[in-house]
Amino acid sequence: VRNETDGLLPQFDTNQPLVFFVNGKKVTDDGPDPECTLLVYLREKLRLCGTKLGCAEGGCGACTVMVSK
C-alpha cells in the first residue's frame, strides 16, 4: 500500500498488543483484529453500547477520536 510521503504505508503488526485508553481506562488487546473498526470494538468488545454511529464526515465532532503517542 502506498502513501504520498515515502510510498509505503506502515503495516499493522498483529503480534504486538494494541494499547489505548477509553474514558481514562487502559485497554490492552493481545490479539487485535485489523479488520475491526473502532465503533465495532467499542460496542462489541467493551460493551459501550451508547457509542454513536456517526455520519463518518467528522463535521459535528460526535465521532471524534483523539490519537496520540
Side-chain angles (χ1 to χ4, degrees):
V1 181
R2 301 206 172 275
N3 70 16
E4 296 173 6
T5 333
D6 61 10
L8 296 175
L9 293 175
Q11 296 297 308
F12 182 77
D13 186 358
T14 56
N15 296 320
Q16 296 293 319
L18 177 64
V19 180
F20 58 100
F21 291 83
V22 176
N23 297 331
K25 295 180 184 176
K26 185 176 181 179
V27 176
T28 302
D29 187 335
D30 292 323
D33 176 3
E35 300 293 320
C36 182
T37 66
L38 179 60
L39 177 70
V40 169
Y41 193 92
L42 293 174
R43 285 183 168 188
E44 294 181 7
K45 297 222 179 196
L46 300 182
R47 297 290 190 222
L48 297 174
C49 299
T51 306
K52 178 185 175 196
L53 173 59
C55 63
E57 292 179 15
C60 68
C63 52
T64 302
V65 175
M66 184 181 81
V67 178
S68 65
K69 268 190 160 178

